[in-house]
Amino acid sequence: MPAAARGFLFDFDGTLSPIALEASAAQPAPGTADALAALHRVAGAVLIVSARPVSFLRRHFAGLELYGLYGLEHALPDGQVVVDPEAEPWRPVVADTLAAAQAEFAGTGALVEEKGLSLAVHYRAVPQRGEKVRAWAAAQAERTGLWVQDGRMVVELKPPVRLDKGTTVARVVHQLGSAWYVGDDVSDLEAFGALAAERTRRPAFLGVRVAVANPESGGALAQAADFSVESPEDVVKLVTEVATALG
Ligand SMILES: [Mg+2]
């Protein structure tokens, strides 16, 4: 990839998709796939960097390069999936912890999401249980060696591998002349940080940090962003405008 190449990187939940009460029901905002495809035609690279497994992301964004589980999984546009070799041995530990989560939270209103190499407990439907869910996750992390990742009304347990949105984005933007990153959650701060670090390392690099406003985590992100948009629907408009301007 030439150094002048442009990249556009997007989180999924809360960024391209309105937050759904049940995580499995989340859908991209209307027009998202078409807008990203249009951008992909005129820009160098369009990538998704998400907490979701690539098996989920591929249903919506076949043909794009995808980083799932914060980068533990990498799907190339041809469909090939590369799993981080340090994370792979943790699969049985994750499966065991998933079973413990399903037993713990059955009937409580907290929803357990199976992601293969990680698991998430969503408490959006029962926010009053958030503290208990997080305490449970902390205890499981202590017991198993998995790491905790916080999010909007969700806590995750994932393999203790130093791969997050920051390291993943750093790896991608290394090859780019400019990059946009659009996100809505605290884990996206790491991605913003990677853009800033690349600028320090290479002053010719241009990084654009875009926050999607929301009352849960949007404040911290908006402070660190170059600018904010109001919703996933506005991200579609922005992407369409950028694609038109570049085309
Ligand atoms: Mg998000």
Side-chain angles (χ1 to χ4, degrees):
M1 217 179 273
R6 300 183 189 100
F8 293 85
L9 291 74
F10 299 88
D11 165 55
F12 178 72
D13 289 279
T15 297
L16 295 178
S17 149
I19 296 283
L21 194 54
E22 274 193 49
S24 59
Q27 294 279 342
T32 299
D34 287 347
L36 291 183
L39 184 61
H40 189 42
R41 282 193 292 276
V42 295
V46 176
L47 302 93
I48 312 291
V49 184
S50 170
R52 298 277 189 168
V54 294
S55 57
F56 174 92
L57 297 170
R58 245 196 320 226
R59 281 183 235 152
H60 300 294
F61 307 112
L64 293 185
E65 191 174 348
L66 309 170
Y67 284 93
L69 306 180
Y70 305 96
L72 295 179
E73 297 176 335
H74 180 198
L76 301 167
D78 67 5
Q80 190 194 338
V81 178
V82 180
V83 176
D84 182 77
E86 283 183 59
E88 185 61 49
W90 288 84
R91 211 176 276 278
V93 179
V94 171
D96 169 69
T97 311
L98 175 74
Q102 285 162 338
E104 178 78 16
F105 298 110
T108 66
L111 297 174
V112 178
E113 182 187 5
E114 176 179 10
K115 301 183 173 202
L117 261 177
S118 76
L119 67 116
V121 184
H122 298 264
Y123 50 89
R124 179 167 299 278
V126 281
Q128 71 278 15
R129 284 190 176 270
E131 215 166 295
K132 274 194 175 164
V133 170
R134 295 153 87 95
W136 177 88
Q140 293 296 311
E142 183 85 3
R143 179 181 76 81
T144 60
L146 295 172
W147 282 354
V148 170
Q149 171 82 51
D150 278 318
R152 288 174 67 183
M153 301 286 183
V154 61
V155 61
E156 292 191 45
L157 288 161
K158 61 180 193 177
V161 176
R162 186 129 316 281
L163 260 183
D164 55 33
K165 288 192 174 185
T167 54
T168 299
V169 168
R171 203 166 58 177
V172 172
V173 300
H174 208 63
Q175 318 164 52
L176 297 171
S178 66
W180 292 46
Y181 185 93
V182 189
D184 73 306
D185 206 347
V186 285
S187 62
D188 298 309
L189 285 170
E190 297 154 357
F192 280 8
L195 294 191
E198 187 67 13
R199 173 87 173 192
T200 304
R201 196 182 69 81
R202 195 159 51 100
F205 173 78
L206 177 65
V208 181
R209 298 159 293 187
V210 185
V212 182
N214 70 82
E216 292 157 9
S217 55
L221 213 66
Q223 277 199 337
D226 296 302
F227 67 95
S228 297
V229 296
E230 288 304 311
S231 65
E233 289 77 9
D234 279 356
V235 174
V236 175
K237 286 184 204 155
L238 176 67
V239 168
T240 304
E241 279 171 24
V242 172
T244 304
L246 291 176

